[in-house]
Each structure stands twice: as C-alpha cells, then as structure tokens.
Amino acid sequence: MPRLFYSILFYLAIPVILIRLLWRASKNPSYACRWVERFGFVPRIPIDQKVIWIHSVSVGEALASVPLIKALQERYPTYRCLVTCMTPTGSERIKTIFLKSVEHCYLAYDTPDAVSRFFERVHPSLCIIMETELWPNMINGCDKRDIPVILANGRLSLSSAKGYKKFSYLVRPMMRQLSWVAAQSGDDAIRFSQLGVNKEALSVTGNIKFDLIIDEALREKSTVLLREWRGPESRPIILAASTHRGEDEIILEAFAEIKSKLASVLLVLVPRHPERFNQVEALCLSNGMKVGRRSSGSIEPSLDVLLGDTMGELISFFGSCDIAFVGGSLVPTGGHNIIEPAAWGVPILSGPHLFNFTEASELLVRSGGMIICESAQWLADSCIQILKDDELRSKMGASSLRIADENRGALNRLLDLVDQAILR
Amino acid sequence: MPRLFYSILFYLAIPVILIRLLWRASKNPSYACRWVERFGFVPRIPIDQKVIWIHSVSVGEALASVPLIKALQERYPTYRCLVTCMTPTGSERIKTIFLKSVEHCYLAYDTPDAVSRFFERVHPSLCIIMETELWPNMINGCDKRDIPVILANGRLSLSSAKGYKKFSYLVRPMMRQLSWVAAQSGDDAIRFSQLGVNKEALSVTGNIKFDLIIDEALREKSTVLLREWRGPESRPIILAASTHRGEDEIILEAFAEIKSKLASVLLVLVPRHPERFNQVEALCLSNGMKVGRRSSGSIEPSLDVLLGDTMGELISFFGSCDIAFVGGSLVPTGGHNIIEPAAWGVPILSGPHLFNFTEASELLVRSGGMIICESAQWLADSCIQILKDDELRSKMGASSLRIADENRGALNRLLDLVDQAILR
C-alpha cells in the first residue's frame, strides 16, 4: 500500500523529473542522450543469455565495482554482466573501462511500468547493487521474479538512515526483500538492521575499495608523469583531486599561502565534474595563477596550476604527487575515495565532511596517514609542514599504505556471497 | 537606498517575526517576557549617566564578554555598562553573572523606529559588538550619532562571508561604518576586508576566549566535584558538553561501546539548551542507561549517565573530567568554546563541524590536544584509547593547556582599542 502511494507520487513527479533532465542537459548535453532507457526502453539481451546485473549510481560506485565485475567475468564465463548507472559521467566511465565486454544502459526510473519493461528486456538472474540507492519498485520487481538482490559494499550514513526512518512504512518492506547486505562497517550494519534488514541477511564484509590493484602499467605511467611534472627544478607537487564547487576557492587560497613559502610548488587541480573545468580555470586565472591543461599534453615549467581536465587518469595522478587532497570533503558532500591515494602510499589531506567514508577515514587518520583540515590556513600549514619534513612525509605515506594493505579482503568475502546466490 | 529597501522588508516581516516569537515562547516561555524591549521600549538610563554598550547575541558571546566587561568596569568607573543580547538564555546568563552591576535589556529589532527609541533611551557613548551579528540600521544609527562601533573578537566564517557578499549593496556601506574590527584571526580579517571594512580599521587581536581565568574558587569546586563523581570505584569520567539535537544519539552509541570495554565509566552529558533536558533524559533511558540529574545535588554510584541540567556550571565540569567532548560539532552548528577545556588542560574530542572555531581548533589539533572524530565508532575508539593510556592522556592535556596559555593576550589588545575609542 505505501508502495502504491509512492508509485503514484513518482508518476506525478515525472514532468518535474523531465524538466530537471532537460535543465541538466543544458549544462551537460549527454544527459539528453538515451533518455528512453530511463523509461525502461533499454536494449534487449537475448533471452537465452544468462545475466548478472550490477547497478552503480555514478562514477565512484562504478570504479569500486571494477574488480568485482572482472572477478565475476572470470568466475562465471557463461553469464554476461549488465552494468547500469544513473549519470552520464558514470556511463562514460563504464564504457571506457569495459568496452564491449559488458552490457550497459541507464537504470529505469522507479515506476512499475518502466521497471517491468526493464526486467522483461534484460531478465537478470542476480542483482548486485553497489553501496547505496535502493528503489522500492525495482527491489520489489526482483522479489516478485525471485531474483536475489545483494547490496554490495553497503553503506548508510547516519543522516541517510534518519531520512529512511521517516518513510519506514515504505522502506522496511523493501529492506526485508534484500537477500544479502554486505555492509562496509559495523556501524553501517547496525543502521541497516535498524531499518529492517533481516539479521541472517546481514554481514560485514569491509570496503571493497580497499581491494584496489595498482598494476605495473599504471605504476610506469605515474613514474613518467611524476618526472615530467617535477621538471628540472624538482618541484614539489600537490594534487587536489575530485574538487567540488566551493572547494577550489579554499584550495587556491591555501595554495597562494604555500607558494609564498615554497615558490616552486605545483598544484594539480582535478575538479570532480567535467562541466566545471572551464569555471575552475577562470577562477585560477582570476587568482593570478598561470594555468595549463592536462589535455594539452605538455606542461610548461612556469605553470602554477595544472588543470586535470582529462577523464579516467586520476588514479595514476595519485602516484605522481607528494601530497593528495581528496575533495567533496570541505563541502558537505561526504568525501570521495581516500583509499586510492592510500594504496599509492601518499600522505592524504581532507576536509571535515567524510560521512561516506567514516570507517576508512578513521583508520587513515588514526594511523597518521591522513590529516583533516578545516580551513585554507590549516591546509596551507599542513602542506608546508609535510613538504618541508621528509621524514614526516614518508611516515605518513607508509601509514596510509599500511592501512590500504591491511584492509584488503572484502572482495573475496563478497564473491562468496555471490557464489551462494548463484548456486542456491 | 538599499537600507531603505531593507527597512521596508523588515517592517513587512514583523508579523512573521512575532509568530516565530510566539512559537518559541510555546517551547520556552521566557521568550514571551519583555518583548516590548524588542521594539525599542527598553528601560531608560538617566541622561547624565555615560554608557558603554556591549552586544552579545547569545550565551557563547555573553560568556566571552565577561572578562572584557569586568576590565571595562575597572578601567572606566564613571561609565556604566549596558549589555544586550537576543536570546532568553543569554539574558539569564547575563543577569546571573553581573547581577545589578550592569544594565541589561534585549536588543531592539532593526527597524528605524525601534533603533531610534533604543538610542534615545540608552544613549551609549561607545558600542562594542561581540564576534558577529551586525544590523544595518543599528550600525547606521551609531554612525549618525557619532558613536564609535568596535566589532570585538570579530569572526566571519567562509559561508557567512558568502552570504554577506550576496547583499553587498547593503553590507558594504555598513562595514565601512565600523570604527574598528578586532578580528580573531588573519582569515577573518581577510574576509572582513573583502566585504568593505577599511584597512585602517582592521586589526587581528586574536581570540579573547583565550583570556579565560580559572580562579581558585573554581578550581576548588572542580576538585570537590571530581572526587564525588569518581566515587570509591575511581570511575573514569567523560564529559559531553553543549550537545545539540542529533548529537546525543551519537554520544550514547559511542558510550555504550566504551562501557562494554570500560564498565565503570561515567558520562556527564550537558545539552546546550535547557528545553532539551527532558528529551535527552528520555533518550538516555530508552538506551537502557541509568540516569541521574545534576540538579538533584547527589549522585548514586550506580549511575551510567549524569545529566547536567543546571546552568552556569559547565566551566567547572571541564575541570572534573578525564576527557571533554565539545558539542555543536557533530551537527553543522560550527562548534562551541573548545578553549575552556583547553584552559583546564583536558584532552578534547570534537566532531568535524568547527567553522566558528577554525583557528583555535587548528592550534589544538595540530598540537595534539584535540582529536576530531567523525562517527560514534571513532569517538568510542578515541575515548577507550585515551582512558587506557595514562601517558597519552597527560600528553594531550598538557598540549591543550599549552595552546590555551600561549594564546592569551587578545583582551589587552582589545582594551587598547577601547581606550582609543573612549579617549579620542
């Protein structure tokens, strides 16, 4: 009954959703492509092809799912993976990484008819949802068709849990329909259980983002980049990764302060969203910085800021810097993947908003590998201290690497759950 | 012209403001008292009495102004201090601390007529505004009457500065009318200058909250309290001070975890707002805790949680604990006075939202006296570690005390400005 009410509301909201889609398309034209998929008109998969369906909301979850999907392809060669997402940037990334080795489309909006069409066309045998984003009709559709649902790398921040609790009539039945919830941490597990997930369905597997593999090719690329960026002057390099609107100002304020103490320092600034590349470049210029673009291929030795305006390269940048700041944390976004710089053994700086990474950030901060900074001044002071003190820098790097290494293993625990679901 | 427009809007908003006042009064009846003062009908001060007017928005600013006001009373015995505030809790505190030694009333709403009446009735020779809250008509009223305005302990967070910038037509002339801005930190000073404060009017005096004096009477009271709370079992004591709605849940979750490791630990829980005392008590009970109230005078040895439901005692509690958590920091309030526990030399824990105390928190965290925790688990882990490790505990305490001691002096710098203003 609450789900019926929810579905009616969803139908009523569709004009608004379409207007929002158009508005987004005006800023990022790829939102206008393949919109029929959002109503369930997705490409058909031949009916005799068995399908494992993995849903990743956006880029972060898509990247986290890569090792999982590669392992699934190896383990279950007779199945084909379907990877869905909600955003064009997520879609781009999925296509670049997997090429034609997986099926890919947008997830349908959560109305009963769109969901039906989606299931009819892709007929999955198993549904794996990455981290977050549960849709009542979608989950109910799985339940009705006897498709097991695994929430992989499940996380639920305190505030999301509070939001869910307000709609517990709708959320509770949905949570009970989940076959397995593989929670990132004990805190997440407690919150899922409070929202109605069955005790037998709950386990704490840890965060599969720790199961990141940095291969030789990547290492080589990073070494080459690092040499190029350091230049003959042997410049210290600060990477500011995945920055959001409002963060770049703080980063640039801190950077001006750092430059006044360490003139040769280079800032590699990588905004999270491509549609902001031009704005951020203009901001750097208005702050009196000399800016270059990574996409130009070359780097002049006189640059102050290198704008990382390419896609999919960030992981290698973490290996080409002395300090990595990870964004989405000075504004209340909840942080981005701080495990990637940890896996490279780089000292990490972050803002205070880390609610999507509380466990990893606790491990990193308490080990000494990461420092939380609350202001431009604080960021500047920390950078200057770390850049000037070689011992501190290598100690922080070693700590972050140790945390990254010690916490691997979630992927195998998750694959065990998948085995159970497929073989049941 | 923008100020005229602002005044018209303010008049139009008065019905809404009155409804909000009534709504607040329904939760805290003292909001219904002395409401005529908010329209400028404040008690008259004899016209031949010279007046220094100090405005403190609420409790935090009122407490910060105590050493300043005491110094002013000593320096300028022919002047009488008028202390205004906006909230009933601020008003209570002012009356308790100063008894009849100062004049006190609410600040008038910022409409031209209320402001006129206010000035006519209290005719100040000097206006000192504590920290924040500048009202265009009020500042303009000072300017018109040639009353110097000092913004003391001035702070301006990044987000407030952004808010002000949106109304720069209104804000810029007001900022230019300030005679002196004594900023807490360089960051604050830069932001004030960007908003139009004259360079000559700007100085960085530091934070007068560091000029806190813990006298012998207070020390004795704390020692007695500590002995009582420790009891024969010599219980470890965690103080959670100035907690807000949404924080108590996290504190209690952490406390349950701590208790599972250190059974004898006592939590002293002090909500920031008296109207929440009963709610928080109920929350503790529903979490299965045995709760007592400080106001009852006695403490049973079997209590898990002691609810600090008295007013004005918090400062002594900081001297009666092993660890002090300071609230308003796990929710986006921006933190409360972390300098008070530092002055007692106590290890400090805080949530991540510290935007009202960025400089003090940077000093404390970088010295090792304070730890920022982002989750219940993190709080619990930190408490357990600190309580178990005597050396760490005394090291953290010594660091926080050192920071408190090293940063005194802002009060004297501020008093120099007052001298200039009075003697000019």
Side-chain angles (χ1 to χ4, degrees):
Chain A
M1 189 60 187
R3 199 163 48 76
L4 176 65
F5 189 63
Y6 156 83
S7 300
I8 293 170
L9 279 182
F10 209 118
Y11 278 119
L12 291 175
I14 281 191
V16 182
I17 291 171
L18 284 177
I19 289 167
R20 198 183 58 155
L21 199 65
L22 277 172
W23 184 76
R24 285 188 172 171
S26 73
K27 299 176 139 193
N28 181 349
S30 31
Y31 269 103
C33 303
R34 294 160 44 210
W35 61 271
V36 293
E37 293 181 7
R38 299 188 186 268
F39 290 90
F41 296 99
V42 300
R44 284 179 192 278
I45 299 177
I47 193 72
D48 52 349
Q49 172 63 61
K50 289 190 289 181
V51 172
I52 300 177
W53 162 37
I54 299 103
H55 175 60
S56 311
V57 189
S58 186
V59 178
E61 295 76 17
L63 289 176
S65 69
V66 174
L68 170 67
I69 293 170
K70 294 207 162 150
L72 291 175
Q73 289 175 325
E74 207 163 286
R75 267 188 201 216
Y76 306 106
T78 60
Y79 284 79
R80 192 145 171 89
C81 288
L82 163 70
V83 187
T84 58
C85 68
M86 297 295 275
T87 65
T89 40
S91 175
E92 268 316 303
R93 203 58 65 87
I94 291 166
K95 285 191 271 183
T96 323
I97 294 171
F98 294 106
L99 304 169
K100 297 269 166 218
S101 75
V102 302
E103 303 291 324
H104 163 63
C105 63
Y106 286 128
L107 184 67
Y109 288 139
D110 200 39
T111 57
D113 68 305
V115 167
S116 271
R117 267 192 299 277
F118 176 82
F119 279 115
E120 192 224 318
R121 285 161 183 242
V122 302
H123 49 79
S125 319
L126 169 65
C127 163
I128 302 177
I129 298 172
M130 292 302 296
E131 303 216 354
T132 185
E133 207 178 68
L134 303 168
W135 294 101
N137 284 322
M138 197 55 89
I139 305 288
N140 187 61
C142 288
D143 193 55
K144 233 167 50 186
R145 291 168 182 81
D146 205 23
I147 303 165
V149 181
I150 300 180
L151 181 64
N153 225 31
R155 66 175 157 85
L156 195 62
S157 70
L158 204 72
S159 59
S160 305
K162 273 195 184 157
Y164 275 139
K165 264 180 205 157
K166 282 188 202 144
F167 302 96
S168 68
Y169 280 107
L170 180 65
V171 168
R172 211 158 257 282
M174 175 178 78
M175 290 290 179
R176 285 216 201 87
Q177 288 173 334
L178 297 174
S179 320
W180 281 278
V181 172
Q184 282 188 18
S185 77
D187 274 5
D188 295 299
I190 290 171
R191 290 195 272 266
F192 278 115
S193 136
Q194 285 166 350
L195 285 178
V197 171
N198 297 321
K199 282 267 156 66
E200 318 79 66
L202 245 180
S203 58
V204 180
T205 52
N207 191 339
I208 65 167
K209 286 181 180 158
F210 280 109
D211 289 272
L212 174 74
I213 295 154
I214 300 177
D215 61 22
E216 267 317 300
L218 207 56
R219 269 184 211 286
E220 234 163 76
K221 182 178 173 189
S222 280
T223 315
V224 172
L225 262 185
L226 182 62
R227 198 174 314 132
E228 190 185 325
W229 290 352
R230 284 234 193 274
E233 261 197 288
S234 186
R235 307 177 71 173
I237 295 154
I238 298 172
L239 170 65
S242 300
T243 60
H244 285 242
R245 191 190 312 279
E247 290 189 310
D248 306 288
E249 291 83 348
I250 305 175
I251 301 287
L252 289 172
E253 199 182 319
F255 182 60
E257 170 85 14
I258 300 164
K259 255 181 79 69
S260 75
K261 301 277 158 60
L262 290 159
S264 68
V265 64
L266 172 71
L267 174 67
V268 180
L269 180 55
V270 186
R272 179 79 175 179
H273 298 113
E275 57 266 37
R276 290 184 55 251
F277 288 157
N278 290 335
Q279 286 168 35
V280 174
E281 185 178 29
L283 184 71
C284 292
L285 291 171
S286 79
N287 273 262
M289 301 290 170
K290 203 171 165 206
V291 193
R293 277 175 173 254
R294 166 69 186 151
S295 58
S296 78
S298 65
I299 173 171
E300 279 177 65
S302 62
L303 287 188
D304 300 311
V305 180
L306 180 67
L307 186 74
D309 63 342
T310 49
M311 299 300 284
E313 282 198 311
L314 182 59
I315 178 79
S316 61
F317 291 179
F318 284 119
S320 317
C321 62
D322 296 300
I323 298 176
F325 166 84
V326 183
S329 59
L330 287 165
V331 291
T333 302
H336 290 300
N337 195 337
I338 47 181
I339 298 167
E340 291 183 353
W344 280 100
V346 172
I348 307 167
L349 298 183
S350 172
H353 301 281
L354 285 160
F355 53 81
N356 287 335
F357 285 88
T358 46
E359 210 196 16
S361 58
E362 175 176 358
L363 291 167
L364 284 167
V365 168
R366 283 167 59 82
S367 76
M370 181 166 99
I371 295 174
I372 295 173
C373 301
E374 306 252 348
S375 65
Q377 187 62 50
W378 198 330
L379 271 171
D381 291 342
S382 301
C383 282
I384 293 166
Q385 193 187 5
I386 295 169
L387 290 177
K388 282 193 168 171
D389 184 341
D390 294 345
E391 199 186 324
L392 173 66
R393 201 166 62 248
S394 65
K395 229 165 133 180
M396 284 186 71
S399 300
S400 68
L401 184 60
R402 181 171 58 76
I403 294 298
D405 284 340
E406 281 176 3
N407 288 279
R408 289 177 205 276
L411 181 59
N412 282 329
R413 289 187 281 275
L414 180 61
L415 285 170
D416 289 346
L417 290 183
V418 176
D419 279 344
Q420 284 181 49
I422 295 237
L423 304 174
R424 83 194 163 127
Chain B
M1 188 60 188
R3 197 162 49 75
L4 175 65
F5 190 63
Y6 156 83
S7 300
I8 293 170
L9 279 183
F10 209 119
Y11 278 118
L12 292 175
I14 281 191
V16 182
I17 291 171
L18 284 177
I19 289 168
R20 197 183 57 156
L21 199 65
L22 277 172
W23 184 77
R24 285 188 172 172
S26 72
K27 299 177 137 191
N28 180 349
S30 31
Y31 269 102
C33 302
R34 294 161 43 211
W35 61 271
V36 293
E37 292 181 7
R38 300 190 186 267
F39 291 90
F41 296 99
V42 300
R44 283 179 192 279
I45 299 177
I47 193 73
D48 52 349
Q49 173 62 63
K50 289 189 289 182
V51 173
I52 299 177
W53 162 38
I54 300 103
H55 176 60
S56 310
V57 189
S58 186
V59 178
E61 294 76 17
L63 289 176
S65 69
V66 174
L68 170 67
I69 293 171
K70 294 207 162 150
L72 292 175
Q73 289 174 325
E74 207 163 284
R75 265 185 202 218
Y76 307 106
T78 61
Y79 284 79
R80 193 146 170 88
C81 288
L82 163 70
V83 188
T84 58
C85 68
M86 297 294 275
T87 66
T89 40
S91 175
E92 269 315 304
R93 203 57 65 86
I94 291 165
K95 285 191 271 184
T96 324
I97 294 171
F98 295 106
L99 304 169
K100 297 268 166 218
S101 75
V102 302
E103 303 291 324
H104 162 64
C105 63
Y106 286 128
L107 183 67
Y109 288 139
D110 200 40
T111 57
D113 68 305
V115 167
S116 271
R117 269 192 297 277
F118 176 83
F119 279 115
E120 192 224 318
R121 285 161 183 244
V122 303
H123 49 79
S125 318
L126 169 65
C127 163
I128 302 177
I129 297 172
M130 293 301 297
E131 304 216 354
T132 184
E133 208 178 66
L134 303 168
W135 294 101
N137 284 321
M138 197 55 88
I139 304 288
N140 187 60
C142 287
D143 192 56
K144 234 167 50 187
R145 290 167 182 82
D146 205 23
I147 303 165
V149 181
I150 300 179
L151 181 64
N153 225 32
R155 65 174 157 85
L156 194 62
S157 71
L158 204 72
S159 59
S160 306
K162 273 196 185 158
Y164 275 139
K165 264 180 205 157
K166 283 188 200 143
F167 302 96
S168 68
Y169 280 107
L170 180 65
V171 168
R172 210 157 259 281
M174 175 178 79
M175 290 291 179
R176 285 217 199 86
Q177 289 173 334
L178 297 174
S179 320
W180 281 277
V181 172
Q184 282 188 18
S185 76
D187 274 5
D188 296 298
I190 290 171
R191 289 195 272 265
F192 278 116
S193 135
Q194 285 167 349
L195 285 178
V197 171
N198 297 321
K199 282 268 155 66
E200 318 79 66
L202 246 180
S203 57
V204 180
T205 52
N207 191 339
I208 64 166
K209 286 181 181 159
F210 280 109
D211 289 272
L212 174 75
I213 295 154
I214 300 176
D215 61 22
E216 267 317 300
L218 206 57
R219 270 185 208 286
E220 235 164 76
K221 182 178 172 189
S222 280
T223 315
V224 172
L225 262 184
L226 182 63
R227 199 175 313 131
E228 191 185 324
W229 289 352
R230 285 237 192 272
E233 260 196 289
S234 187
R235 307 178 70 174
I237 295 155
I238 298 172
L239 170 65
S242 300
T243 60
H244 285 242
R245 190 190 313 278
E247 289 189 310
D248 306 288
E249 291 83 349
I250 305 175
I251 300 288
L252 289 172
E253 199 182 318
F255 182 61
E257 169 85 15
I258 299 164
K259 254 180 80 69
S260 74
K261 301 278 158 60
L262 290 159
S264 67
V265 64
L266 172 71
L267 174 67
V268 180
L269 180 56
V270 186
R272 178 78 175 180
H273 298 113
E275 57 267 37
R276 289 184 55 251
F277 288 157
N278 291 335
Q279 286 167 34
V280 174
E281 185 179 30
L283 184 71
C284 293
L285 291 171
S286 78
N287 274 262
M289 301 290 169
K290 204 172 163 205
V291 193
R293 277 175 174 256
R294 166 69 186 150
S295 59
S296 77
S298 65
I299 173 171
E300 279 177 65
S302 61
L303 287 189
D304 300 310
V305 180
L306 180 66
L307 186 75
D309 63 341
T310 50
M311 299 301 284
E313 282 198 312
L314 182 59
I315 178 80
S316 61
F317 291 179
F318 284 120
S320 317
C321 63
D322 297 299
I323 298 176
F325 166 84
V326 183
S329 59
L330 287 165
V331 292
T333 302
H336 289 301
N337 196 336
I338 47 181
I339 299 167
E340 290 184 353
W344 280 100
V346 172
I348 307 167
L349 298 183
S350 172
H353 301 281
L354 285 161
F355 53 82
N356 287 335
F357 285 87
T358 45
E359 210 196 15
S361 58
E362 176 177 358
L363 291 168
L364 284 167
V365 168
R366 283 166 59 82
S367 76
M370 182 165 99
I371 295 174
I372 295 174
C373 300
E374 306 252 348
S375 65
Q377 187 62 49
W378 198 331
L379 271 171
D381 291 341
S382 301
C383 281
I384 292 166
Q385 192 188 7
I386 295 169
L387 290 177
K388 283 194 167 169
D389 184 342
D390 295 345
E391 198 186 324
L392 173 67
R393 200 165 63 247
S394 65
K395 230 166 134 180
M396 284 186 71
S399 299
S400 67
L401 184 60
R402 181 171 58 76
I403 294 298
D405 285 340
E406 282 177 1
N407 288 279
R408 289 177 205 277
L411 181 59
N412 282 329
R413 289 187 281 274
L414 180 60
L415 285 169
D416 288 346
L417 289 184
V418 176
D419 279 344
Q420 285 182 48
I422 296 237
L423 304 174
R424 81 192 165 130

